[in-house]
Amino acid sequence: MVLSTKIYVEHSDLALVETIRSLPDADLGVVSDVGTDPQHDVHCFWVEADDFDAFETALTADHTVASFSEVAGDADRRTYQIEYSDAATLVSPVVTDAGGLVLESRSRGDGWELTLQLADRSVIEALDTFARAEDMRFEVLEISESETGDIDTEFGLTEPQVEALVNAYLHGYYDEPREAVLTDLADLLDISETAVSGRLRRGSAALIDATLLESDE
């Protein structure tokens, strides 16, 4: 059996939390299939934001960031290489040292939501001990067991986009007449109406591209 869990961590010294708090409409996540630079602790992040100048200004002021550079991107989504400063507190080493695996990291609220794969519950106990020592907010959002621990990813959607689309559907945003509006979804997801609108727009575009448009091949 493999345990899969989602946790939420929040602390002022967690990497990039200062940036996350200053730009609540932006979505950040670790590019999981890109390795780090072992000599400089450089990590790759995808970023969805309406104002990347403001995002880079926030990075410059963030005490957990030593340096950063844009790698690639377009008007809605960019990839950055970010080097942490010595002031940054990291959770992933605690997970790794305890025998767990971080499958995904993305911004949420005033902190980070991590999707973990664990051999047993000892990793959760290690995280709880670490969080208490650091005076860090730590919550287990969900936990499940599976035979393989496989995580399905389809259509190129990010988790924030899936969350927005599913909640919009379940709460009647797509009904006629509508039973929910952007304000309702924003309150439900604890983000701005602009952020909800952006996630729905980008998520819908990704679904159309993956399911309705013919491949060039």
Side-chain angles (χ1 to χ4, degrees):
M1 270 305 176
V2 175
L3 293 177
S4 296
T5 185
K6 287 186 179 181
I7 66 169
Y8 175 76
V9 288
E10 180 183 317
H11 190 276
S12 59
D13 290 333
L14 277 173
L16 303 186
V17 160
E18 189 174 332
T19 297
I20 292 170
R21 290 176 174 176
S22 65
L23 294 171
D25 291 344
D27 292 319
L28 290 73
V30 175
V31 182
S32 58
D33 57 349
V34 177
T36 63
D37 179 336
Q39 293 184 344
H40 300 96
D41 199 20
V42 175
H43 296 251
C44 280
F45 288 82
W46 58 262
V47 180
E48 293 181 353
D50 294 321
D51 187 344
F52 286 99
D53 288 337
F55 174 73
E56 293 183 5
T57 297
L59 284 181
T60 301
D62 194 323
H63 72 288
T64 68
V65 175
S67 64
F68 65 90
S69 61
E70 181 187 342
V71 177
D74 52 33
D76 292 324
R77 183 182 175 102
R78 296 183 185 179
T79 302
Y80 287 83
Q81 285 187 331
I82 299 176
E83 179 183 357
Y84 297 146
S85 72
D86 293 338
T89 297
L90 305 178
V91 173
S92 54
V94 180
V95 176
T96 303
D97 291 345
L101 181 65
V102 179
L103 298 178
E104 184 177 49
S105 304
R106 69 177 181 90
S107 60
R108 173 171 176 161
D110 288 334
W112 287 98
E113 179 183 299
L114 309 180
T115 302
L116 311 178
Q117 183 172 298
L118 319 174
D120 53 52
R121 295 176 184 265
S122 63
V123 182
I124 298 177
E125 295 172 2
L127 282 169
D128 183 60
T129 299
F130 174 75
R132 289 176 184 273
E134 296 290 331
D135 196 24
M136 179 184 300
R137 181 179 174 183
F138 167 64
E139 298 178 13
V140 177
L141 302 176
E142 61 182 67
I143 188 167
S144 61
E145 293 184 339
S146 66
E147 293 293 336
T148 64
D150 290 342
I151 303 294
D152 293 329
T153 56
E154 294 183 295
F155 309 131
L157 295 171
T158 66
E159 279 207 18
Q161 291 166 0
V162 172
E163 183 181 38
L165 287 167
V166 170
N167 277 285
Y169 177 78
L170 292 177
H171 291 275
Y173 179 78
Y174 296 111
D175 290 351
E176 184 61 43
R178 280 182 172 168
E179 295 183 8
V181 295
L182 284 178
T183 302
D184 300 320
L185 296 177
D187 291 342
L188 179 69
L189 299 174
D190 195 25
I191 56 177
S192 71
E193 292 181 43
T194 301
V196 174
S197 177
R199 293 179 188 184
L200 293 177
R201 174 170 50 82
R202 289 186 287 266
S204 298
L207 283 174
I208 292 170
D209 184 63
T211 61
L212 301 179
L213 298 182
E214 294 184 0
S215 172
D216 292 335
E217 297 179 358

